[in-house]
Amino acid sequence: MKIALGSDHAGFELKEDLRAYLAELKIEALDLGTYSEDSADYPDVAAKVAEKVARGEVARGLLICGTGIGMSIVANRFAGVRAALCHDLYTARISREHNNANILALGGRLIGKGLAREILKVWMETEFQGGRHERRIRKIAALEGKTGK
Ligand code: RB5
């Protein structure tokens, strides 16, 4: 399973650590930036990762900004993307089991590297449960592109 990852400047340090961790886990990773701590706009990087997931070019995505909020807002604008902002092991597990999340968003200014590594491992290893959750995922897909008008 291949994962694309990206961060802005606020998530850069954690992205670097998690990229090394993915290598330890022998998970193929595609790093789409940013590549330094210079200021970078989170929508640009979130769009790159979300596009890869939406097109099916990678199975999963990992996005890190200061809070994870901006990254998840942007990623969820792409059809077929279900980005989950997780802060703990419970949200990481349930976002896979119930929501079939295909992008994990993390807040680099909120969680430490140890917890982030555990969240990522649980999120990568947990399977979607299907069943009643499948019906709900289909309902999300049916709402894609709605404008409210
Ligand atoms: C950057 O200062 C910060 O706004 C960004 O990393 C993120 O937290 C946005 O949601």
Side-chain angles (χ1 to χ4, degrees), residues 6-20:
S7 76
D8 69 357
H9 53 286
F12 175 72
E13 189 181 332
L14 183 56
K15 173 176 71 72
E16 293 300 290
D17 184 75
L18 293 180
R19 187 159 52 85

Side-chain angles (χ1 to χ4, degrees), residues 107-126:
R109 289 175 175 161
L110 297 174
I111 55 171
K113 288 176 188 159
L115 177 58
R117 283 181 170 217
E118 285 197 33
I119 288 173
L120 178 59
K121 187 166 194 290
V122 163
W123 189 79
M124 291 300 294
E125 290 176 351
T126 304

Side-chain angles (χ1 to χ4, degrees), residues 42-61:
Y42 62 82
D44 299 337
V45 182
K48 283 186 191 169
V49 170
E51 262 174 20
K52 291 273 179 207
V53 173
R55 289 179 184 158
E57 292 173 16
V58 295
R60 303 275 186 94

Side-chain angles (χ1 to χ4, degrees), residues 8-11 39-40 42 64-73 107-109:
D8 69 357
H9 53 286
S39 183
Y42 62 82
I64 311 163
C65 61
T67 59
I69 294 172
M71 289 297 197
S72 53
I73 289 172
R109 289 175 175 161

